Amino acid sequence: MPDGLARKKTRTTCPYCGVGCGIVAIESGNGQVTVAGDPDHPANKGRLCGKGAALAETLGHDGRLLHPMIGARRVSWDQAVATVAQNFHNTIAEHGPDSVAFYVSGQLLTEDYYVANKLMKGFIGSANIDTNSRLCMASSVAGHRRAFGSDTVPGCYEDLEQADLVVAVGSNFAWCHPVLAQRLADARAARPGMRIVLIDPRRSASAELADMHLAIKPDSDVALFNGLLRWLQESGCVDQDFLARHTSGFDEALAAAQRTSFGETARLTGLSLAELLAFYRLFALSPQVVTLYSQGVNQSAGGTDKVNAILNCHLLTGRIGKPGTGPFSLTGQPNAMGGREVGGLANQLACHMEIENPAHRALVQRFWRAPAMPEQPGLKAVELFDAVAEGRIKALWIMATNPAVSLPQADKVRAALKTCPFVVVSDVEARTDTTELADVLLPAAGWGEKDGTVTNSERRISRQRAFLPPPGEAKPDWRILCDVAAALGWGAAFAYDSPWQIFREYAALTAAGNDGARDLDLSGCLEWEAETYDVAAPFQWPLRAGEKQGQQRFFAEGGFFTEDGRARFVAVKPPEPRSSTLPFLLNTGRVRDQWHTMTRSGRSPRLAQHVAEPFVEIHPDDAKVLGVVPAGLLKLSNHRGDYLARAVVTRRQQPGQLFAPMHWTAQTASSGRVDALVSSRRDPHSGQPALKMTRVAAEAVDLVWYGFAVVALRPAGIDADYWAVARTESGWRLELGGRAHPADWQAFAGQLFGLGDGEDVELLAYVDADKGSHRFAAFAGARPLGLLYVAAEPVAASRAWVCRQFDRGQLEGTGRCSLLVGRPSQAAADPGPIVCSCFAVGRNAILTALAGGAGSVEGVGAATSAGSNCGSCRAEIQGLIDHVSVAAAE
């Protein structure tokens, strides 16, 4: 940043995962923004992952939704608000309050969530408000409520560092929660006796950090933890005092577990008996145990039972609420917890109150002075969109999410939105798969432009603060909701002027009628003024009246939020096996450097370097049977849809299992919406869909040509059977492929490059017809406009090097020739596929460092800088070190 410019520092919170990292945003006088980890924030203590470190790259206005739109027409805010209010009013008048719905998001701030919930449940009078958080953590909520009587997270991040054993179940924490992975790795380095166990069918990057990896069969978690419950009881690893004084239902839970022998448990999980018992002994002999769990547990038709199987083991041993102990749900979104707290789920009221409880309903209705209050839960996410498809929901408002991509049966969701009589979408992006289906678009303020609070996975409330003005006519979501509420005639109940007023009302509701029977209590915040809210440091709830600090942990001495104050053991049983004629089981999930449907992370060129196209991981034996060529394409299909992506042949997958990422959309790939394949089968208790358990067929796709291109302007249309597009520093990179050759390759290149007739452009070309090779490079003076590499096999151009050269912007002489070849003249200059996004360090550079004697992750960092900043790539670096070590031993 240039010297002499005024710098404004703003402490805020990261908008990605549920770790809730503190960020210092630094704005210079010329409008440039840089970000750094906040060293004073308890969640990250200055650390950031690659996504958080790249946030400044996502703040541009290109592609933003800047003005209200009705169809393709720009309108005023007054007209847009009146249109939304009139359509909702007419629909309710004709069909009743349950004919309308809100579908909201864990990207909203708590204040936004609170207003949306109040408007729908208290004034419209329907519980049809649900959130995309239903897709990631609803089973954890249901499990908590069954066991604890409340949706209470019992522990905190410090427990990970204090544990003797950390068990990670269904969590690729190294990629999905990298800052916690760094904290865990640092803790183990300081305490070498600490152990980490990963339980996951897939050998993910997190396995590189684990001492033991149990590659269980998918959906066998209940069998595994039922066996552990039985082992703990038979080996005497029981906290008898805690069991007797603070729990109930153990006999029934144990009886359910005893129906399966240890040998049968080994068979059900796919583990050897030796592996199974080694884990059980380690758990029993470790006094302090934390069990982390995430989407591999939650995103299952039996997710709630999996959660309770885990909780049962911690209740039996009394390993809950004490330092270094407890079950811990890793939340996916930055404010999924805040949404849970204010009633963003269709089956809850605000402040962890129950919609089925008449006393709770009456309390909330009196507090809000609300004209109506639903008596039954509303439609959960999948049910909600089924109701849209069936015509029962006739007006729908979608906020800050992209359900046409992220929901199961995504093609069915698209079709439903097309037929819905009235669809409103509030978003920051002008063009998403969902905004394209809206009748009204409302421009929302994004990260860095809005103000409020979020709650992370350890119940820590942090401020998200604005440091930039909203572009165009964008407004905060709470303001948009209040304007619509006023137009519906309820302005007095929504006459907020600031997020602080909303937060204070929410805090007062947590205190209303709360004599300690509810976990969520923010009565301590009622002593604040607006200025206190503005400067508030992160704190954990509950923060009770008169207290200066929140409560770190729950339940060490009982005090559960059930009627009798005892925790409930829940008897669970393994699911019945399901038969299918389709040969492969598809698991979906995230990659390291992208987030959800990439509307934010996809703006960063740095983050696109790691993985730039959709892919499918497949075991080598399966790839051989299918005839998959190296870097070839694989088509997955079932009766719900198709998915076309690059094949990654790897032993990280078990035979018969596949993995594909969830991020790609119709905006970024030709057929990369993987949730189009996923069924709507869901957990009966939580309503969470089984996003990780989909049966598919797979086949190798024969293409006659493959291509790679870099262009200055994104093409308006791409005439190829396969394509995927991602940003570079100065343009766009494309992966391409086709079943038939274009009639004119030069014309194809010109169209791809966006070249117009009569433009003063120099076009270099190379053709080897026998090999099916075509290369084109277009220049305006020394500035490259487009590069295209075509071959009969997957193109071997060095993508990282080509993009880097293109982004330099000025190329002469030999530089142009090297670009046409697609690789540098000296092999040492080719970084290879990018491993470290922070410093653009590729695989080749890391292997060179290892060959030079850098035998550790730290040594690689010293030689190349890789892994020395955010640390997200350290697991991959360790994997390369292990690979080189094995190769040397052979």
Side-chain angles (χ1 to χ4, degrees), residues 1 7-10 24-28 32-36:
M1 187 176 292
R7 300 183 182 188
K8 176 186 174 186
K9 292 185 177 181
T10 303
V24 178
I26 305 169
E27 184 187 5
S28 68
Q32 290 183 328
V33 174
T34 58
V35 300

Side-chain angles (χ1 to χ4, degrees), residues 825-850:
S825 56
Q826 295 181 349
D830 180 6
I834 296 298
V835 174
C836 174
S837 299
C838 292
F839 297 108
V841 181
R843 186 175 188 273
N844 294 347
I846 293 172
L847 293 175
T848 299
L850 294 176

Side-chain angles (χ1 to χ4, degrees), residues 147-161:
F148 306 151
S150 61
D151 177 23
T152 308
V153 175
C156 59
Y157 293 158
E158 287 182 10
D159 293 327
L160 308 183
E161 297 161 325

Side-chain angles (χ1 to χ4, degrees), residues 507 510-511 514 520-528 542-550:
T510 70
N514 193 350
L520 178 54
D521 185 346
L522 296 176
S523 54
C525 299
L526 298 178
E527 301 163 12
W528 293 4
L543 183 64
R544 301 181 182 92
E547 295 179 351
K548 298 301 181 184
Q549 289 186 327

Side-chain angles (χ1 to χ4, degrees), residues 160-171:
L160 308 183
E161 297 161 325
Q162 297 170 350
D164 302 311
L165 171 66
V166 174
V167 181
V169 190
S171 172

Side-chain angles (χ1 to χ4, degrees), residues 408-409 578 638 640 675 677-681 689-691 693-694:
Q409 298 196 81
R578 292 170 57 87
N638 56 27
R640 288 177 288 272
D675 283 329
L677 299 168
V678 175
S679 81
S680 59
R681 194 165 65 98
L691 292 167
M693 292 286 292
T694 298

Side-chain angles (χ1 to χ4, degrees), residues 130-131 133-153 293 297-298 303-305 307-308 311 329 331 336-341 343-349 352-354 380 519 683 685-688:
D130 211 44
T131 167
S133 300
R134 177 75 60 187
L135 310 183
C136 69
M137 55 76 216
S139 290
S140 186
V141 174
H144 285 165
R145 292 179 70 182
R146 288 206 296 183
F148 306 151
S150 61
D151 177 23
T152 308
V153 175
Y293 63 92
V297 169
N298 292 329
T304 304
D305 283 352
V307 170
N308 285 112
L311 301 188
S329 167
T331 312
M337 290 282 284
R340 289 150 71 168
E341 293 157 12
L345 293 168
N347 56 313
Q348 289 184 332
L349 289 177
H352 288 182
M353 285 185 270
E354 299 171 359
K380 299 168 185 174
D519 60 342
D683 182 279
H685 306 286
S686 69
Q688 182 161 354

